[in-house]
Amino acid sequence: MTAMLELRNITKQFGGLTAVNDLSMKVEVHEIHALIGPNGAGKTTATNMIEGVYHPTSGQIFFKGQDITNLRTHEIARLGIGRTFQNIKLYDTMTALENVMVGGHQLTKLDLFPSIINPKGLMEEEKMLKEKAEMFIEYVGLSDIKDEYVKNLPYGNKKVLEVARALMMDPELLLLDEPAAGLNPSERAEFVDLLMRIHSEGKTLFFIEHNMDVVMNVSHQITVVNFGAKIAEGTPQQIQTNPEVIKAYLGERYKVK
Ligand SMILES: Nc1ncnc2c1ncn2[C@@H]1O[C@H](COP(=O)(O)OP(=O)(O)O)[C@@H](O)[C@H]1O
Ligand SMILES: [Mg+2]
């Protein structure tokens, strides 16, 4: 079967620095796949290339068999790849609901021209976006705070809100850059529940995460990178017992139970 996502020998150089080095990997359909590795290993850069924020210096990226290497971010989002960010990117002076609606605007942006000539169409579109945003806010459990300004929300709520916004695009593949970072244990448990719910609805998840309890408990497959290059790939069991991974990354931080 064609993979949901395939990175084929991708390299990214920033000046003289090789951030991602000849990385090849596949995320299979309906898999939960984690990308782990030390800070600076190139994980966020890899995600940014998948989303078209950067284009690789060399190599190719395929989404469901289609070459997306040189597409732009909104084209890639439209094809069905959603994302959340390592550093939360929400609009502080907009409400939670409005922020989620923005996620859907990205989907309809290119269709706005007819709406400009037809203001009634625009209003209908706004209404549809609003209903959809309300549905996803409820789905992630934030209905209570939907009218709060984002600047007044606790960090944990913002992390969850980003997921609701990403869902507005109806992504088949969801990329999450350190989704559980900064969450306390109970928020983290709720977040994992949310991810499992999203997965159970047929979505494929590809996430970067440092919390090894989260990674080892939810992942089907794990890819490990160090200095931009892949050093291991396998099931949680295989990764936990891989000497090179323990040396480069896991060390004393995660003990095999
Ligand atoms: N836009 C950029 N310009 C220059 N260097 C960058 C840029 N983005 C990332 N880097 C560098 O690339 C390397 C990988 O960074 P990053 O992908 O953020 O790592 P990770 O997410 O694994 O912590 C780091 O050395 C980082 O400083
Ligand atoms: Mg990062």
Side-chain angles (χ1 to χ4, degrees):
M1 199 155 85
T2 311
M4 179 63 79
L5 179 74
E6 182 181 355
L7 309 184
R8 207 178 283 171
N9 306 105
I10 59 164
T11 291
K12 180 67 187 176
Q13 284 167 336
F14 293 112
L17 177 99
T18 304
V20 175
N21 189 0
D22 197 27
L23 177 64
S24 293
M25 62 173 291
K26 284 181 183 178
V27 177
E28 302 295 343
V29 173
H30 204 220
E31 190 168 71
I32 302 182
H33 197 125
L35 180 62
I36 67 172
N39 282 327
K43 303 179 300 294
T44 296
T45 303
T47 317
N48 278 330
M49 286 191 280
I50 297 164
E51 280 287 338
V53 176
Y54 305 132
H55 298 301
T57 310
S58 60
Q60 286 172 295
I61 303 171
F62 297 88
F63 177 57
K64 296 195 294 180
Q66 178 183 347
D67 188 340
I68 60 165
T69 315
N70 290 306
L71 297 187
R72 293 188 295 174
T73 52
H74 69 270
E75 293 170 321
I76 291 168
R78 279 180 150 228
L79 286 177
I81 306 182
R83 81 175 299 186
T84 67
F85 298 88
Q86 180 172 357
N87 302 311
I88 292 173
K89 291 193 180 171
L90 294 166
Y91 298 102
D92 266 351
T93 56
M94 286 165 58
T95 67
L97 182 67
E98 285 164 351
N99 268 278
V100 176
M101 286 173 69
V102 168
H105 267 301
Q106 288 168 8
L107 190 64
T108 55
K109 191 162 65 183
L110 294 182
D111 302 322
L112 267 182
F113 186 59
S115 321
I116 293 165
I117 359 180
N118 173 12
K120 190 151 167 276
L122 184 60
M123 276 165 62
E124 274 162 19
E125 184 179 302
E126 285 285 321
K127 193 165 160 255
M128 266 171 46
L129 275 180
K130 191 169 174 214
E131 280 167 9
K132 192 169 179 185
E134 278 177 336
M135 183 186 86
F136 281 122
I137 288 228
E138 186 174 341
Y139 181 83
V140 302
L142 293 181
S143 287
D144 290 353
I145 55 91
K146 74 181 161 86
D147 296 319
E148 292 285 343
Y149 288 103
V150 161
K151 63 169 183 275
N152 299 328
L153 293 179
Y155 182 81
N157 284 356
K158 293 188 202 177
K159 285 290 232 194
V160 174
L161 200 57
E162 278 218 321
V163 175
R165 184 176 59 181
L167 291 174
M168 284 293 281
M169 307 286 282
D170 301 315
E172 282 179 73
L173 170 65
L174 196 55
L175 309 180
L176 305 132
D177 195 347
E178 302 202 18
L183 299 183
N184 66 39
S186 76
E187 288 172 329
R188 195 154 60 226
E190 276 182 40
F191 205 99
V192 167
D193 280 349
L194 174 61
L195 294 186
M196 297 314 284
R197 238 181 330 133
I198 293 169
H199 175 256
S200 74
E201 287 172 24
K203 299 199 190 285
T204 304
L205 304 180
F206 182 42
F207 74 116
I208 297 169
E209 183 53 58
H210 285 296
N211 185 292
M212 286 303 120
D213 285 325
V214 173
V215 168
M216 298 301 174
N217 283 322
V218 312
S219 309
H220 303 134
Q221 278 289 311
I222 300 171
T223 298
V224 190
V225 285
N226 193 24
F227 298 112
K230 181 163 83 178
I231 60 166
E233 192 164 56
T235 63
Q237 182 64 34
Q238 290 165 336
I239 293 302
Q240 284 169 35
T241 51
N242 180 311
E244 203 180 342
V245 177
I246 294 168
K247 186 161 163 262
Y249 182 59
L250 292 181
E252 296 301 304
R253 294 202 292 144
Y254 193 79
K255 294 251 196 268
V256 180
K257 282 172 199 145

